[in-house]
Amino acid sequence: MAKDHRAGSKVRGDKLPAILMANHLLDGDVVFLADKGWTLDPSKARIAFDAETAEAMDAEGKTAFAANVVVDPYLVPVDLKGTGLPVARHFRDAMRQKGPSIHPDMGKQADYPTPA
């Protein structure tokens, strides 16, 4: 039977700060919960610095999932670069955040700042 939640992050230690990552239902792009809706731009992702904010963001993700806006929303622990850009700690999530790696000069990588 399918579960209502993800198995959990593979990151050890502190799970905060965190962002909420999902896939857009219709086009499949990786999206991030922003202050107003969902965005493709990882630099615009809302960041949870405390458990209450993380729980509220998780609830927003579940609501968007129920409304068929996104699929598989989950909290991703991040580190903040000097510029404030949140960078996923786990390799898999960092790769999802960067986007396809075949042509980094095109698409998402060219349009939005992504972690190095």
Side-chain angles (χ1 to χ4, degrees):
M1 175 175 234
K3 299 225 184 230
D4 184 33
H5 64 280
R6 191 171 181 84
S9 172
K10 296 182 186 337
V11 176
R12 298 189 192 283
D14 193 12
K15 306 290 187 206
L16 295 173
I19 60 174
L20 192 71
M21 185 183 289
N23 286 89
H24 190 271
L25 179 66
L26 296 180
D27 57 27
D29 283 334
V30 174
V31 291
F32 309 92
L33 183 63
D35 288 334
K36 294 181 181 177
W38 296 88
T39 181
L40 294 169
D41 186 351
S43 69
K44 303 263 191 274
R46 188 184 322 165
I47 303 170
F49 291 98
D50 57 68
E52 294 79 26
T53 304
E55 288 174 17
M57 288 169 53
D58 192 43
E60 259 186 87
K62 288 178 181 177
T63 299
F65 173 74
N68 292 320
V69 175
V70 298
V71 290
D72 198 21
Y74 64 99
L75 289 167
V76 175
V78 295
D79 289 321
L80 300 178
K81 293 286 189 179
T83 61
L85 179 68
V87 178
R89 292 183 196 161
H90 190 269
F91 176 77
R92 175 185 180 271
D93 297 320
M95 290 303 294
R96 290 188 70 218
Q97 185 177 9
K98 287 181 184 181
S101 59
I102 296 171
H103 291 288
D105 57 328
M106 303 169 129
K108 184 178 190 176
Q109 297 90 325
D111 292 339
Y112 304 111
T114 56

